[in-house]
C-alpha cells in the first residue's frame, strides 16, 4: 500500500522535475520511480 502512495507522489513530481526520482526501502530495493522499468 505504501508503494502505491509513493508511486503516486513520484508520478506527480516527475511532471515538475526533469530528473529521474525514486524511493528505496531499507534493503535498497526501488519501490517507486519515475522510470517504471527501474522498480524492483
Amino acid at each position: 500500500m505504501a508503494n502505491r502512495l509513493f508511486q503516486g507522489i513520484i508520478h506527480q513530481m516527475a511532471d515538475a522535475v526533469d530528473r529521474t526520482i525514486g524511493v528505496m526501502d531499507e534493503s535498497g530495493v526501488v519501490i517507486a520511480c519515475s522510470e517504471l522499468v527501474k522498480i524492483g
Side-chain angles (χ1 to χ4, degrees), residues 4-36:
R4 236 182 247 183
L5 173 69
F6 286 127
Q7 188 62 37
I9 293 169
I10 294 295
H11 182 68
Q12 291 176 4
M13 289 177 60
D15 294 336
V17 181
D18 191 32
R19 293 191 181 263
T20 301
I21 44 179
V23 177
M24 297 172 66
D25 68 2
E26 64 276 354
S27 61
V29 177
V30 177
I31 59 172
C33 187
S34 58
E35 293 187 26
L36 297 176

